[in-house]
Amino acid sequence: MNRRLDPDPRRLPRHVACVMDGNGRWAQSRGLARTEGHTAGEDALIDTVEGAADIGLEWLTVYAFSTENWRRPPSEVRFLMGFNESLLERRSRELHEKNVRIRFVGRRDSRVPRRTQARIDEAIELTGNNTGLTFTVAFNYGGRAEIVDAAAALIRDGVSAADVDEAALVRRLYDPEMPDVDLVIRTSGEHRVSNFLLWHMAYSELVFTDTLWPDFRRGDLYNAICTYQARDRRFGGLNC
Ligand code: IPE
Ligand code: IPE
Ligand code: MG
């Protein structure tokens, strides 16, 4: 049920990140192929992105394909590459018209088909000057890989050990402008992080829902934001 609460617009999280999980189980519970669950996840994604833009959220990041998802059967991996490519081709313009700025984080390795990379570049280019929601897709993304890649960049750039600090490392993450994540939402009843945005999640609030991703809608996003707004964030200090 997408029961809807209205978040307080003055206390919105700046950055919400979503682990879109449960597509396979959604399909299997209906006697469908797992890939049908990924297809059904598209409506959830678009409604969530547009719902985020409508309430004035600044940053929304979604986990679309992890560095560990290559372990899946080749047919599912192939489907996910093609599906993401076609989703971008069909939906980028509509998001552009909503003033959404599309970005990507992840490794651009040779396993990602060239056509998929081309659609990614086109979406970034088309929407790069937009000023509304920044919608980031984590694709071939791993939190550990991101930190390792940043460490390698520090060495390549000749930064001395004495000059390595958090700011120097952040400048070498996939998107140095990406703010820390305030709220992580994971669907499908799984209570884990699965290598998502490890650096940015250091002080995130975590909200888990049993809803499977294809059933998720903006109302679920708003409910999660209300849960977040009822939390007491202390960042290691004391609120008194
Ligand atoms: C999330 O759904 C989508 C991706 C990981 C690409 P899953 O495919 O993980 O669905 P479940 O968790 O097996 O139900
Ligand atoms: C996390 O979901 C990755 C994405 C949603 C893209 P998984 O389904 O791959 O995570 P695990 O295997 O259950 O931890
Ligand atoms: Mg899963």
Side-chain angles (χ1 to χ4, degrees), residues 4 42-57 60 62 90-100 102 132-135 213 216-219 221-222:
R4 179 147 161 185
E42 179 170 336
D43 286 345
L45 177 65
I46 298 299
D47 194 59
T48 301
V49 176
E50 295 189 347
D54 286 348
I55 56 164
L57 209 67
L60 175 73
V62 300
R90 289 178 289 101
R91 300 294 202 146
S92 291
R93 183 146 293 280
E94 149 188 0
L95 295 178
H96 178 50
E97 277 154 19
K98 285 219 147 206
N99 198 23
V100 171
I102 302 176
L133 173 75
T134 299
F135 167 52
W213 178 255
F216 196 89
R217 291 294 180 275
R218 67 180 66 200
L221 170 70
Y222 298 166

Side-chain angles (χ1 to χ4, degrees), residues 180-182 200-205 228 232-239:
D180 283 350
V181 174
D182 299 299
H200 311 80
M201 262 193 210
Y203 269 100
S204 301
E205 294 297 325
Y228 161 87
D232 181 19
R233 301 184 81 191
R234 291 192 287 275
F235 300 97
L238 298 172
N239 286 345

Side-chain angles (χ1 to χ4, degrees), residues 100-152:
V100 171
R101 179 171 66 158
I102 302 176
R103 289 189 171 180
F104 280 79
V105 288
R107 264 194 184 154
R108 295 279 192 132
D109 69 42
S110 56
R111 291 177 297 180
V112 179
R114 263 221 277 283
R115 281 163 50 126
T116 310
Q117 303 217 27
R119 293 295 93 75
I120 289 175
D121 289 332
E122 284 160 18
I124 294 170
E125 166 81 22
L126 173 71
T127 64
N129 292 326
N130 289 344
T131 55
L133 173 75
T134 299
F135 167 52
T136 307
V137 182
F139 192 78
N140 192 20
Y141 176 87
R144 287 185 171 181
E146 177 171 37
I147 295 167
V148 166
D149 289 352

Side-chain angles (χ1 to χ4, degrees), residues 18-23 25 34 62-69 71-72 80 138-139 141 186-188 190 192-196:
C18 244
V19 182
M20 309 185 289
D21 199 15
N23 296 352
R25 279 164 284 166
R34 289 179 50 84
V62 300
Y63 209 0
F65 192 88
S66 76
T67 46
E68 287 71 38
N69 287 148
R71 294 180 185 151
R72 295 193 178 194
L80 285 167
F139 192 78
Y141 176 87
R186 182 164 186 152
T187 57
S188 86
E190 305 295 356
R192 55 180 171 264
V193 165
S194 301
N195 203 13
F196 193 33

